[in-house]
């Protein structure tokens, strides 16, 4: 007789939860009617975290995708007026990617949609449970168990 694998059960729960989070976020993104895909939304959020307009290669590295994937995403976002390609002021061979005013507005709407999704996801939890979840997620993200016995 074999004993159940508790890590296997936990792994399955994590995978199911991840899929649920993605489904809820996708639904809220679609309800916001911004005309961006989840991948484009991720690129816009990533672009906003750079201090200065990045190169395509910088975006690809940060997103952990191949540069060609970034080109396709930027093409779509540029076509809808949310980003623009701009020449680098110090190296004319380099193109940088900038958010347009419409891109900034889309980003604000994306944040609202994301906040709405988070409220839905966390609704079943009490404030104490949310705090515990936050600590557990920090531990999983950092990969350390700081402060634990």
């Amino acid at each position: 007789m074999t004993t159940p694998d508790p890590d296997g059960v936990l792994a399955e729960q994590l995978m199911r939860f991840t899929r649920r989070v993605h489904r809820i976020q996708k639904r809220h993104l679609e309800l916001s009617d911004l005309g961006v895909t989840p991948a484009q939304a991720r690129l816009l959020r990533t672009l906003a975290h750079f201090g200065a307009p990045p190169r395509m290669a910088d975006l690809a590295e940060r997103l952990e995708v191949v540069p060609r994937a970034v080109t396709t995403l930027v093409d779509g976002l540029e076509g809808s007026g949310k980003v623009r390609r701009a020449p680098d002021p110090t190296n004319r061979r380099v193109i940088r990617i900038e958010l347009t005013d419409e891109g900034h507005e889309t980003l604000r709407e994306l944040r609202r949609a994301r906040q709405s999704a988070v409220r839905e996801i966390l609704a079943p939890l009490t404030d104490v449970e949310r705090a515990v979840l936050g600590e557990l997620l920090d531990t999983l993200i950092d990969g350390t168990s700081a402060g634990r016995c």
Side-chain angles (χ1 to χ4, degrees):
M1 183 168 159
T2 61
T3 58
D5 177 10
D7 289 339
V9 171
L10 187 57
E12 179 60 28
Q13 288 174 310
L14 285 170
M15 295 307 295
R16 287 176 47 216
F17 179 65
T18 300
R19 286 191 298 270
R20 181 172 184 259
V21 167
H22 285 286
R23 275 194 316 275
I24 291 171
Q25 285 184 327
K26 184 177 179 186
R27 183 168 37 82
H28 283 263
L29 179 60
E30 289 167 354
L31 289 172
S32 68
D33 200 28
L34 294 171
V36 296
T37 66
Q40 289 173 330
R42 183 172 175 236
L43 186 137
L44 289 172
R45 288 192 310 270
T46 301
L47 189 56
H49 283 92
F50 279 92
R55 300 172 304 140
M56 295 261 223
D58 300 327
L59 281 168
E61 183 178 328
R62 182 80 57 93
L63 292 167
E64 298 179 345
V65 299
V66 296
R68 178 69 189 119
V70 172
T71 301
T72 301
L73 293 172
V74 168
D75 287 347
L77 290 168
E78 186 177 39
S80 64
K82 293 172 178 55
V83 302
R84 72 176 146 260
R85 289 174 166 91
D88 184 289
T90 61
N91 183 345
R92 64 184 180 161
R93 295 174 295 168
V94 174
I95 299 296
R96 303 223 173 239
I97 308 304
E98 302 176 331
L99 282 168
T100 62
D101 290 342
E102 186 175 339
H104 283 287
E105 179 56 33
T106 299
L107 201 51
R108 283 189 285 278
E109 292 297 323
L110 285 170
R111 286 185 183 122
R112 284 192 272 280
R114 194 170 216 198
Q115 290 166 347
S116 177
V118 167
R119 281 191 299 275
E120 180 180 338
I121 292 163
L122 297 178
L125 301 179
T126 66
D127 289 343
V128 172
E129 290 169 330
R130 289 175 188 211
V132 170
L133 177 62
E135 290 176 21
L136 293 171
L137 289 172
D138 283 342
T139 299
L140 291 172
I141 291 165
D142 297 339
T144 63
S145 58
R148 296 189 174 215
C149 299

